[in-house]
Amino acid sequence: MSQSLRGRSFLNLADFTAQQVRLMLDTAKDFKLKKQLGQPHRLHEGKNIALLFEKTSTRTRCAFTVAANDLGVAPEFLGANDIQLGKKESVEDTAKVLGRMFDGIEFRGFAHDTVEQLAKFSGVPVWNGLTDKFHPTQILADFMTLEEHVGPLKGLKLVFVGDGRNNMANSLMLGAAQMGLDFRILAPNELHPEQSLVDEAHQMAALSGAKITITDNFDDALSGADAIYTDVWVSMGEEDKYAERIALLKGFQVNMNMLQWTGNPNVKFMHCLPAFHDLNTDTSHKIHDEYGLSEMEVTDEVFRSPASIVFDQAENRMHTIKAVMALTL
């Protein structure tokens, strides 16, 4: 196991070189094979990590928990009602306490500044399980899944459709710029990413050979795409934005027509989940009752089609998170 990343925090994929991202991906592939073969890989036996969750989660919590157990690490879950971040205790003080008890800290929550403070003051590796700005562990899983289903990342044509300002669009853009993809964001002009992040992506792309396109033109975005990626239109904590987002994004739903628009019969569909593709949840029923929509960002036809690789993405969250922990602890 390489020690080149030992002690590093994982807050944003752009903090790492392409070679270091490659190391994470190759390590994850090795762990996945070992898992499939039933080969033990308890590399960090006896260590302990804290899992801090301001935002609820299915995939992130399960991925960190299973990955930790596979590595011989004991995870301690601390939910929103178990921690006092910024309420009765400052983030700095919390970080210093946890850093004396745990060997690593995962944080999933709202403000990106919180995870940065945890990394600054804890003295142990801190891993970003999601903030309002970035979701780097998801991007590693996405890249691993793309390599499994499409091929090498260099030059691969990936399109993100939807809210181009959210944490997934931000993270995919910077990750794609780092690893040399042909990345396009297809979104209405009102939902294009902030210019400072676009500028950063173009600077990285100049070194990697990546291509970054931000557009509301369907032809420019979809032509020749290898994969189309979307996310929910309204993120956790923005529940008052449904009417506004539906008005802006109803023409950007991923459907079979959009897949065919690419001209690629092998185009893949990706989603970080959860997805509003049917009426099998309480939230989707509420949206249907208020706005008349039975599907939102993706149709059920696309979600359940052979093009969909969303559950491979979900599984690969565990393998890539395991790689990040193994390399940084």
Side-chain angles (χ1 to χ4, degrees):
M1 177 62 61
S2 170
Q3 296 298 311
S4 63
L5 302 183
R6 186 174 181 179
R8 290 279 301 273
S9 288
F10 186 75
L11 309 185
N12 177 8
L13 209 62
D15 295 335
F16 296 86
T17 66
Q19 292 74 22
Q20 290 169 333
V21 175
R22 181 77 266 155
L23 173 63
M24 296 176 201
L25 292 170
D26 290 344
T27 301
K29 291 177 182 179
D30 180 59
F31 282 148
K32 185 171 185 176
L33 180 60
K34 283 182 166 61
K35 183 84 168 176
Q36 291 170 341
L37 296 175
Q39 296 177 355
H41 40 284
R42 299 175 69 84
L43 305 179
H44 291 289
E45 193 80 53
K47 292 185 178 179
N48 297 274
I49 62 169
L51 306 179
L52 308 186
F53 281 75
E54 282 187 332
K55 284 187 175 183
T56 56
S57 166
T58 299
R59 280 151 298 280
T60 301
R61 179 178 177 179
C62 292
F64 268 99
T65 299
V66 175
N69 288 328
D70 283 353
L71 292 172
V73 176
E76 177 64 29
F77 175 81
L78 297 168
N81 294 327
D82 302 313
I83 52 179
Q84 300 294 335
L85 287 176
K87 299 174 185 176
K88 293 183 179 179
E89 186 171 32
S90 69
V91 177
E92 177 180 347
D93 290 356
T94 302
K96 289 176 178 177
V97 169
L98 295 179
R100 290 179 178 232
M101 298 182 182
F102 293 95
D103 299 290
I105 300 168
E106 178 272 348
F107 174 79
R108 177 184 174 91
F110 295 93
H112 191 71
D113 179 67
T114 301
V115 78
E116 290 180 331
Q117 288 191 64
L118 288 170
K120 180 178 179 180
F121 294 112
S122 67
V124 298
V126 172
W127 309 296
N128 179 3
L130 175 143
T131 65
D132 287 347
K133 192 170 185 178
F134 297 119
H135 195 1
T137 58
Q138 179 67 53
I139 307 310
L140 281 180
D142 297 337
F143 284 175
M144 180 178 179
T145 309
L146 283 168
E147 289 189 330
E148 290 175 343
H149 286 274
V150 179
L153 295 176
K154 193 80 170 178
L156 188 149
K157 299 177 178 62
L158 175 63
V159 184
F160 180 86
V161 182
D163 182 358
R165 309 165 307 166
N166 75 5
N167 51 17
M168 282 307 307
N170 291 342
S171 299
L172 283 167
M173 179 172 63
L174 294 182
Q178 185 73 285
M179 301 305 289
L181 282 74
D182 179 347
F183 179 69
R184 304 100 179 256
I185 289 179
L186 175 60
N189 290 326
E190 297 92 331
L191 298 179
H192 284 184
E194 61 182 71
Q195 191 59 44
S196 62
L197 287 175
V198 177
D199 293 341
E200 182 179 356
H202 281 301
Q203 291 170 6
M204 296 165 66
L207 299 175
S208 69
K211 184 178 179 181
I212 305 297
T213 303
I214 315 296
T215 184
D216 63 350
N217 184 291
F218 281 63
D219 281 325
D220 291 345
L222 296 172
S223 179
D226 294 302
I228 295 176
Y229 199 125
T230 194
D231 191 10
V232 293
W233 290 346
V234 176
S235 299
M236 191 180 301
E238 296 184 328
E239 286 76 12
D240 61 337
K241 303 291 186 183
Y242 272 109
E244 171 190 324
R245 299 289 169 76
I246 288 171
L248 286 170
L249 291 168
K250 60 185 178 182
F252 290 78
Q253 181 188 67
V254 179
N255 51 36
M256 280 299 181
N257 182 57
M258 184 177 287
L259 265 59
Q260 293 165 3
W261 204 322
T262 68
N264 179 1
N266 298 313
V267 65
K268 303 302 180 185
F269 169 72
M270 306 179 76
H271 196 304
C272 55
L273 303 181
F276 293 118
H277 61 96
D278 57 25
L279 292 176
N280 293 332
T281 66
D282 291 341
T283 300
S284 61
H285 272 290
K286 183 178 179 181
I287 297 302
H288 179 264
D289 291 343
E290 292 187 20
Y291 303 102
L293 297 177
S294 57
E295 306 159 314
M296 289 186 66
E297 72 275 8
V298 59
T299 63
D300 195 55
E301 182 183 19
V302 168
F303 188 86
R304 298 182 187 275
S305 74
S308 178
I309 53 176
V310 299
F311 294 109
D312 289 332
Q313 290 175 260
E315 177 192 342
N316 285 338
R317 290 292 306 281
M318 187 266 290
H319 303 300
T320 48
I321 281 171
K322 189 188 300 181
V324 170
M325 286 198 293
L327 290 165
T328 57
L329 277 173

